[in-house]
Amino acid sequence: MKPRFAIVAAALAAALFAGSHEARSQERSCRSPDPVDTIKEMSDAIYACWKPPPGTAGMSLTLRFSLRRNGTLIGKPRATYSDLGTDAQLSRAFVASILRALDDALPLPFSDSMGGAIAGRMLAPRFTAALEGAS
């Protein structure tokens, strides 16, 4: 039963993170000590720490990475998709804001069951700055 739960959790993580997540305020605050027990809580914990720079509306970046059961990063995140526009300075600021969000959010305070289910699984969150005027 435990391996089946791990497979289902990994599939849900991939499905959740595969979709775009536009910047918006979250119910969870950045660096909240509350235990992360679901895929949604995990994504909320990361996105709560992200503040896209002004002028980056519509930019998007997908990172691929894995986490340990203690909520720390395994290796370095790798970009698998980007739509960063033509302004090199804004592009660098956008990417830096995402890497800073990961630094601020990690380590995630996983519950024992979540840590076991997510450890070593590949995640691919997409960070997309909301378009101005979009809700």
Side-chain angles (χ1 to χ4, degrees), residues 81-123:
Y81 169 84
S82 67
D83 182 4
L84 301 175
T86 58
D87 186 319
Q89 185 175 355
L90 278 177
S91 296
R92 283 190 299 272
F94 183 77
V95 172
S97 73
I98 295 168
L99 295 176
R100 189 170 35 257
L102 281 177
D103 283 344
D104 290 346
L106 301 178
L108 292 173
F110 286 138
S111 65
D112 288 341
S113 60
M114 183 64 175
I118 206 69
R121 308 287 186 239
M122 198 55 65
L123 305 171

Side-chain angles (χ1 to χ4, degrees), residues 6-19 39 42 46 62-69 72-80 102 110 114-126:
I7 291 168
V8 170
L12 287 173
L16 177 71
F17 276 134
I39 300 297
M42 179 177 61
I46 293 171
T62 301
L63 291 180
R64 196 171 144 187
F65 59 88
S66 295
L67 299 172
R68 293 180 182 88
R69 71 175 47 246
T72 59
L73 196 60
I74 298 173
K76 293 181 181 178
R78 297 191 183 267
T80 59
L102 281 177
F110 286 138
M114 183 64 175
I118 206 69
R121 308 287 186 239
M122 198 55 65
L123 305 171
R126 178 172 291 176

Side-chain angles (χ1 to χ4, degrees), residues 9-83:
L12 287 173
L16 177 71
F17 276 134
S20 172
H21 185 88
E22 293 187 355
R24 60 180 179 237
S25 63
Q26 302 292 321
E27 292 178 20
R28 185 180 184 97
S29 64
C30 183
R31 302 290 297 164
S32 171
D34 297 336
V36 172
D37 197 42
T38 66
I39 300 297
K40 181 179 181 338
E41 289 173 4
M42 179 177 61
S43 63
D44 286 350
I46 293 171
Y47 292 124
C49 294
W50 184 46
K51 312 275 186 292
T56 60
M59 288 187 181
S60 185
L61 179 72
T62 301
L63 291 180
R64 196 171 144 187
F65 59 88
S66 295
L67 299 172
R68 293 180 182 88
R69 71 175 47 246
N70 66 1
T72 59
L73 196 60
I74 298 173
K76 293 181 181 178
R78 297 191 183 267
T80 59
Y81 169 84
S82 67
D83 182 4

